[in-house]
Amino acid sequence: MNFDIAIVGAGPSGLCFAQALAESGLRIVILERQPEAALANPGFDGREIALTHHSARLMRELGLWERIVPDAISPLRDARVLNGLSLYAMNIDHSDSKQGELGYLISNCLIRKAAYDAVKSSPAITLMTEARIDAVRTDDEGAHITLANGETISAQLLVAADSRFSETRRAMGISATMHDFGKVMMVCVMEHEVPHRHVAWEWFDYGQTLALLPMNGMRSSVVVTMPARQIGDLMEMDEDDFSRAMEKRFQHRLGAMQLASTRHGYPLVTVYPDRFTAKRFALIGDAAVGMHPVTAHGFNFGLRGADVLASEIMAAHARGGDIAAAGLLARYERRHRFATRPLFLATHAIAKLYSDDSPPARLLRAASLRIGNRIAPFKRAVAQMLTEAN
Ligand SMILES: Cc1cc2nc3c(=O)[nH]c(=O)nc-3n(C[C@H](O)[C@H](O)[C@H](O)COP(=O)(O)OP(=O)(O)OC[C@H]3O[C@@H](n4cnc5c(N)ncnc54)[C@H](O)[C@@H]3O)c2cc1C
């Protein structure tokens, strides 16, 4: 079978990239190993995705935003960063970003469902599910994919969107720097007595990191990061014991709390490949930048990269050029690295510092929060980074 672009992975990034090209006149195939039912009705996976204004705009352009019921989109008005046992907080106010809110919160399963529905309504996109890839290679003529059932697929360009542990990236010989934080992030929805006023919390406590992402109503997405064994204990507790344990962990700052969803654990591994491109090949989504979730930017970067690559491809196609030209891929590489590398490194440094409980680190943690709080340009820069309001 012959296509213009073959995408491996129908996660949110692969689907959004395909959808960005739906009107380009190019023939696109997405190869996904999961069954179609898992894409058509994705189950709740605990992730509530904080989206910047830039991402909201891209999702509107892709026709995803209107597929999500307004009640399921929660505004993220302000953010507070807390440290250790102190009540002192660095406050990042929406007014620092000149926006009515810092961003929005939407369940990952709703984003995936909206992206799947959009792709299914686009005749230019073929979705092949339960696809088992045996081999991939690219040469001057194009990309060649062999499936386990013996079928072969060729395309002008191969794009990998197959997660931070991308097998396609490895098969193409691209190395990546991985960092395993040795911790697991547990996410779930909880109801609570004290209103959140649409303020997100990032609380770098000693021995644990807690986060609260405000959902509509008296509910929040609650995130706990700790070593795997402790997270395992939390996830095995019965619902009431778990709720009481969480009230204690949050030092009763939210009053009574009650578990309102299933609990999900994600090992904390970050990934940054040495290159995003090779001959007739590009990485997007988590396969390109596997962020630490603490700055809530993984999918925001996924959308941004998909938009940049799709724009470069459409411009080349419109002037009758090669949609996988080396120069085009080099421009994507440069633009996406420039947009993602600084925050990737900064997030890494923040996560390392604020999970270090040694006495010097405790001093530095408290001091940097107070200094950051007093420097208005710094706070405006953080607000700008969180909102991507441009
Ligand atoms: C707890 C948590 C909270 C997060 N919060 C935020 C947030 O607030 N804001 C934000 O922007 N981001 C957030 N993220 C990150 C965000 O969830 C990811 O960036 C996003 O889901 C990545 O999408 P993706 O499509 O690149 O990869 P994935 O979602 O990993 O999808 C990859 C797809 O590829 C398929 N696949 C894999 N290998 C193969 C193969 N060999 N052949 C065929 N198919 C294959 C998989 O089945 C899957 O469908 C969070 C992540 C976590 C874990």
Side-chain angles (χ1 to χ4, degrees):
M1 278 182 285
N2 223 313
F3 294 89
D4 294 307
I5 301 177
I7 304 166
V8 182
S13 305
L15 291 170
C16 287
F17 174 64
Q19 184 61 11
L21 292 163
E23 304 292 325
S24 64
L26 295 165
R27 291 157 309 133
I28 298 154
V29 64
I30 312 179
L31 304 163
E32 165 61 50
R33 69 169 155 216
Q34 291 186 76
E36 182 118 13
L39 303 182
N41 287 302
F44 174 75
D45 61 14
R47 302 185 205 190
E48 297 294 328
I49 305 293
L51 295 160
T52 64
H53 289 280
H54 181 73
S55 294
R57 181 171 65 73
L58 293 177
M59 285 176 65
R60 284 191 188 98
E61 286 171 10
L62 295 175
L64 266 60
W65 200 260
E66 65 262 28
R67 292 178 188 270
I68 296 168
V69 290
D71 267 3
I73 303 174
S74 171
L76 274 178
R77 202 154 292 142
D78 302 319
R80 312 182 70 202
V81 185
L82 296 130
N83 176 47
L85 304 173
S86 169
L87 290 175
Y88 185 85
M90 179 165 93
N91 296 305
I92 299 156
D93 199 278
H94 62 274
S95 59
D96 291 323
S97 71
K98 301 191 178 72
Q99 299 286 323
E101 57 279 301
L102 290 174
Y104 309 92
L105 199 68
I106 304 180
S107 292
N108 194 41
C109 56
L110 297 182
I111 295 174
R112 291 179 55 201
K113 166 91 180 130
Y116 169 84
D117 288 344
V119 158
K120 284 303 272 188
S121 66
S122 300
I125 305 170
T126 304
L127 180 60
M128 291 177 68
T129 50
E130 297 183 62
R132 301 275 154 216
I133 296 174
D134 242 13
V136 292
R137 71 180 173 83
T138 61
D139 55 28
D140 289 341
E141 273 66 59
H144 313 278
I145 303 160
T146 310
L147 301 181
N149 64 7
E151 263 180 72
T152 56
I153 290 166
S154 52
Q156 296 182 55
L157 175 69
L158 173 63
V159 175
D162 52 348
S163 87
R164 65 188 60 204
F165 303 110
S166 171
E167 288 168 20
T168 315
R169 183 180 66 213
R170 189 174 304 127
M172 289 296 294
I174 296 182
S175 53
T177 305
M178 296 199 180
H179 183 83
D180 189 335
F181 282 79
K183 298 211 166 121
V184 174
M185 189 170 247
M186 188 218 67
V187 276
C188 64
V189 177
M190 296 195 78
E191 284 161 2
H192 46 83
E193 202 178 16
V194 175
H196 49 54
R197 303 187 197 289
H198 287 275
V199 178
W201 296 10
E202 190 66 49
W203 183 359
F204 298 105
D205 200 0
Y206 301 137
Q208 63 175 4
T209 301
L210 302 173
L212 187 90
L213 296 165
M215 302 171 72
N216 288 329
M218 300 290 277
R219 295 182 314 145
S220 292
S221 170
V222 167
V223 187
V224 187
T225 307
M226 289 193 301
R229 195 179 47 76
Q230 285 166 264
I231 290 289
D233 292 347
L234 260 188
M235 288 182 59
E236 277 163 25
M237 281 180 182
D238 77 36
E239 289 195 13
D240 282 340
D241 287 350
F242 174 81
S243 301
R244 301 299 77 76
M246 292 306 291
E247 287 167 5
K248 241 170 112 181
R249 287 189 177 277
F250 274 90
Q251 295 186 358
H252 304 278
R253 293 182 192 192
L254 293 163
M257 298 174 77
Q258 194 57 47
L259 181 64
S261 77
T262 43
R263 290 161 270 186
H264 301 262
Y266 294 93
L268 273 184
V269 181
T270 59
V271 182
Y272 207 94
D274 295 344
R275 290 178 291 140
F276 292 156
T277 59
K279 187 185 288 266
R280 296 193 171 274
F281 177 71
L283 298 167
I284 60 165
D286 275 17
V289 184
M291 285 289 285
H292 189 301
V294 71
T295 42
H297 257 60
F299 183 54
N300 288 302
F301 281 160
L303 272 172
R304 175 179 281 274
D307 177 53
V308 169
L309 183 58
S311 309
E312 292 283 355
I313 289 170
M314 282 189 290
H317 185 54
R319 56 173 187 267
D322 180 358
I323 59 161
L328 180 162
L329 295 174
R331 272 195 304 282
Y332 164 65
E333 166 102 40
R334 207 166 39 244
R335 289 174 66 187
H336 201 40
R337 190 167 287 272
F338 181 76
T340 59
R341 187 75 177 154
L343 187 60
F344 180 84
L345 293 175
T347 303
H348 207 271
I350 292 168
K352 289 278 279 183
L353 173 64
Y354 282 92
S355 56
D356 184 347
D357 292 343
S358 67
R362 285 185 186 207
L363 278 177
L364 189 59
R365 286 165 58 160
S368 35
L369 219 59
R370 282 175 191 272
I371 293 166
N373 216 9
R374 288 201 192 119
I375 303 176
F378 171 78
K379 289 215 301 182
R380 276 199 297 276
V382 174
Q384 170 60 31
M385 181 268 297
L386 289 176
T387 56
E388 291 190 301
N390 288 341

